Amino acid sequence: MVVITRPLMLHPSPTLKSSLLFAKLPLSLSSFSSFPSNCSSRRRRFPTTLRLCSNSDSVPESSSSTGESGPSIVSDLLGYLNESWTQFHATAEAKRKLIAAGFHLLDENEEWDLKPGGHYFFTRNMSCLVAFSVGEKYSIGKGFHVIAAHTDSPCLKLKPNSASSRSSYLMVSVQTYGAGLWHTWFDRDLSVAGRVIVRSTSDTYLHKLVKVKRPLLRIPTLAIHLDRTVNQDGFKPNLENHLLPLLSMKLEETSLQSKEKTSACPSKAAHHPLLMQVLSEELDCDIDDIVNFELNVCDTQPSCLGGGTNEFIFSGRLDNLASSYCALRALIDSSKSPGDLKDEHAVRMIALFDNEEVGSGSVQGAGAPTMFQAIRRIVSGLANNNVGEGSFERTIRQSFLVSADMAHGVHPNYMDKHEELHRPELQKGLVIKHNANQRYATSGITSFLFREVGKIHNLPTQEFVVRNDMGCGSTIGPILASGVGIRTVDCGIPQLSMHSIREICGKEDIDIAYKHFKAFYQTFSSIDKKLTVDF
């Protein structure tokens, strides 16, 4: 194992409000809201000070791998990752960016007033989001061009009754969510974030997001002196007994009485009073006003650039917030100028779902008919009571879905885990995923069309199939494709350390993915009409 020392400023004191890490982060809980290297002809010079943190500098324009000039979105992605500790925060941050870009918030419970050339979005459960821009030349039966991703990542979640006590310690009981590499969660500076239901003064209830930015929890490993064979036998923690985060030492019963009221509040009985106090201070409310919450355990280390030339992104939750952000930016940037939708006959859409890591079977997951209900409503709303025979079905047949989820880049220490002719590399572009047993929804037709988008814009693509002697993962592509019969391609940004608390991807791949998604919106209509299959 290579030991990498980190600058002290990666873990500043929480009292340094003007620190490098948090100087540009919004202070209000209600708002959700790099490096060129100098070269000479003889030798390469590297910056003497590594600018690792996302808020320290902007990333310069980079076009070496994409064939196109333009500003990099990497710095903005890092900011998005640092805001989006949970699926709720990721959705809220996407909502903020859409509103800033002129998109109109819709209510699923109300009638929609839609017009060609308009920009709209809605959220569900504040962890799922659908946004779309309508082409000015849209007509009934024309297709939807959709990029779908997911907002959730493997993590630990607090149990409904989380208060646990062992020896002289206060512990927090957690559930494992998804297929995480749980050994990577040990000895990390952790905290909590998520959503809280708060009682207001008018006896109504508010939905608030909370993020405790300081290190609050830690899961300590056992000293090697007490586990002498761990390096030979492997680290095999019991996920029920050994994965409880440490919150504090036990406190005297009277130590918190000055700050809490006597109450029959069930959340007080279920969770440590100290934890409730921390949440109440973050939310600026009384402990008794917190009636329920959904909290994730989160790593406090910021997302940043790394590597010898800052070519990597080191971060949690790259799977799949990197795809979500590239799709979000592509939709916004392909629709923001007055002429962007002038000649567009289709509807451009993104759909960001929750619960992919556990199978998508929820009201906010891809297994729910959220996206297709939205498409049906959009078709109906734009028809002006002139809905013809099979309007929705014709729309689906002309639509195309890009299922964007992170891909397995080849690991240099485990190259035999990849089929030898399908070893995606970092910094080489989007990976098109294939599986004959339909674990991915890609077909020869859909892969050709998506690859053609990249070819026209000089954007590289790669191919991936899993070895025949290994199991294959899956994503939301087959769920959505089979749900209503929409043409689908599964693709992703290559990464290492997938499902670790700290993942890695290539900086250039972010810009390539963004440009490929943007090109998909801008050119797919013209490409699609050149191919005839079923007529």
Side-chain angles (χ1 to χ4, degrees):
M1 180 180 71
V2 178
V3 178
I4 302 174
T5 59
R6 299 181 176 89
L8 180 61
M9 284 304 292
L10 283 179
H11 294 283
S13 167
T15 61
L16 297 178
K17 294 184 179 179
S18 60
S19 71
L20 179 64
L21 296 179
F22 303 123
K24 294 185 180 181
L25 293 180
L27 297 179
S28 170
L29 285 169
S30 61
S31 64
F32 295 93
S33 99
S34 271
F35 314 104
S37 56
N38 298 321
C39 299
S40 68
S41 59
R42 295 185 178 180
R43 67 181 181 184
R44 190 167 189 164
R45 296 178 182 174
F46 299 98
T48 56
T49 302
L50 291 180
R51 304 165 187 170
L52 294 179
C53 297
S54 64
N55 295 317
S56 59
D57 288 275
S58 60
V59 178
E61 291 187 2
S62 175
S63 58
S64 59
S65 295
T66 66
E68 294 185 349
S69 61
S72 172
I73 69 164
V74 169
S75 181
D76 292 335
L77 169 66
L78 291 173
Y80 178 76
L81 291 167
N82 284 324
E83 286 296 317
S84 304
W85 282 18
T86 72
Q87 69 275 31
F88 306 117
H89 290 82
T91 304
E93 182 66 6
K95 174 182 176 180
R96 185 188 68 79
K97 290 182 179 295
L98 287 166
I99 291 175
F103 281 68
H104 299 282
L105 176 61
L106 300 173
D107 185 343
E108 284 195 279
N109 299 315
E110 303 293 337
E111 291 186 4
W112 293 353
D113 181 17
L114 309 177
K115 295 179 176 59
H119 314 287
Y120 310 93
F121 78 99
F122 66 87
T123 66
R124 180 178 289 188
N125 190 52
M126 193 46 73
S127 63
C128 168
L129 179 146
V130 174
F132 56 96
S133 294
V134 184
E136 291 186 17
K137 291 187 177 180
Y138 173 81
S139 59
I140 299 304
K142 295 299 181 181
F144 282 60
H145 301 158
V146 188
I147 303 176
H150 64 89
T151 59
D152 62 317
S153 302
C155 66
L156 303 177
K157 293 178 178 284
L158 267 65
K159 291 181 178 179
N161 297 316
S162 73
S164 178
S165 178
R166 296 183 178 183
S167 185
S168 58
Y169 300 103
L170 298 183
M171 315 294 287
V172 178
S173 293
V174 295
Q175 303 178 75
T176 56
Y177 175 84
L181 290 173
W182 303 122
H183 67 274
T184 66
W185 286 71
F186 284 75
D187 295 335
R188 303 289 303 188
D189 296 345
L190 307 173
S191 191
V192 294
R195 67 153 161 221
V196 182
I197 308 301
V198 179
R199 181 187 293 107
S200 72
T201 55
S202 59
D203 203 29
T204 57
Y205 300 94
L206 303 176
H207 173 279
K208 291 189 175 184
L209 300 188
V210 66
K211 183 196 307 180
V212 181
K213 295 178 182 177
R214 67 180 177 89
L216 187 69
L217 305 171
R218 194 173 178 95
I219 308 173
T221 49
L222 183 64
I224 194 169
H225 314 83
L226 305 178
D227 190 8
R228 289 288 187 180
T229 63
V230 65
N231 290 329
Q232 292 76 40
D233 299 341
F235 181 46
K236 302 173 182 178
N238 180 284
L239 299 185
E240 180 65 23
N241 298 328
H242 303 151
L243 204 59
L244 276 75
L246 172 65
L247 172 66
S248 178
M249 302 298 293
K250 280 187 179 179
L251 303 176
E252 295 293 335
E253 293 294 330
T254 58
S255 63
L256 292 175
Q257 287 182 357
S258 61
K259 293 189 177 181
E260 68 176 77
K261 301 177 182 178
T262 301
S263 170
C265 175
S267 60
K268 274 185 59 182
H271 307 284
H272 288 302
L274 177 59
L275 176 62
M276 301 302 295
Q277 178 185 319
V278 171
L279 295 176
S280 69
E281 291 173 352
E282 289 288 332
L283 294 165
D284 192 23
C285 70
D286 292 336
I287 293 177
D288 288 340
D289 290 332
I290 299 174
V291 298
N292 207 355
F293 55 66
E294 294 179 59
L295 295 181
N296 295 358
V297 176
C298 307
D299 189 7
T300 60
Q301 184 175 356
S303 305
C304 64
L305 296 182
T309 58
N310 289 324
E311 68 268 44
F312 300 124
I313 295 175
F314 298 159
S315 175
R317 307 175 302 282
L318 288 173
D319 178 16
N320 190 33
L321 293 185
S323 304
S324 296
Y325 185 73
C326 289
L328 174 69
R329 276 294 298 270
L331 176 65
I332 291 174
D333 292 351
S334 69
S335 308
K336 64 181 180 181
S337 299
D340 284 342
L341 298 173
K342 181 180 178 181
D343 297 319
E344 180 61 85
H345 294 263
V347 176
R348 301 171 181 176
M349 174 181 280
I350 61 169
L352 309 180
F353 297 101
D354 192 4
N355 298 134
E356 187 275 343
E357 297 292 356
V358 292
S360 299
S362 68
V363 68
Q364 58 272 2
T370 309
M371 188 179 85
F372 301 115
Q373 289 174 347
I375 292 175
R376 189 182 294 277
R377 290 188 68 173
I378 295 166
V379 171
S380 177
L382 293 170
N384 295 321
N385 298 320
N386 294 317
V387 178
E389 185 276 329
S391 296
F392 175 74
E393 289 76 13
R394 287 186 287 120
T395 294
I396 293 299
R397 292 310 309 138
Q398 295 196 61
S399 297
F400 193 93
L401 172 71
V402 177
S403 169
D405 203 350
M406 302 298 280
H408 296 288
V410 62
H411 194 303
N413 298 334
Y414 300 91
M415 293 183 65
D416 60 333
K417 294 295 184 180
H418 276 70
E419 198 275 332
E420 63 176 345
L421 300 180
H422 300 86
R423 291 173 172 169
E425 298 180 24
L426 272 60
Q427 317 288 27
K428 296 294 181 66
L430 281 172
V431 178
I432 299 176
K433 307 175 184 179
H434 304 261
N435 185 261
N437 296 302
Q438 295 302 298
R439 297 293 289 172
Y440 301 125
T442 306
S443 70
I445 296 298
T446 60
S447 60
F448 162 74
L449 291 170
F450 190 68
R451 195 184 302 112
E452 195 69 10
V453 171
K455 182 178 178 181
I456 290 173
H457 292 266
N458 196 25
L459 296 165
T461 56
Q462 307 180 76
E463 313 290 335
F464 172 77
V465 295
V466 73
R467 290 172 54 107
N468 289 329
D469 55 0
M470 295 178 63
C472 183
S474 189
T475 183
I476 59 178
I479 296 173
L480 296 171
S482 62
V484 75
I486 186 172
R487 295 175 297 169
T488 301
V489 63
D490 270 297
C491 70
I493 300 167
Q495 72 164 106
L496 301 175
S497 303
M498 186 178 287
H499 288 197
S500 170
I501 196 171
R502 199 78 176 163
E503 300 173 320
I504 308 172
C505 74
K507 181 176 70 175
E508 297 220 10
D509 285 325
I510 296 300
D511 287 326
I512 295 172
Y514 158 69
K515 290 176 181 179
H516 203 135
F517 293 164
K518 186 178 178 182
F520 166 71
Y521 286 132
Q522 293 172 328
T523 62
F524 186 78
S525 292
S526 62
I527 296 171
D528 189 32
K529 66 183 181 182
K530 297 179 181 179
L531 176 65
T532 301
V533 178
D534 290 315
F535 184 74

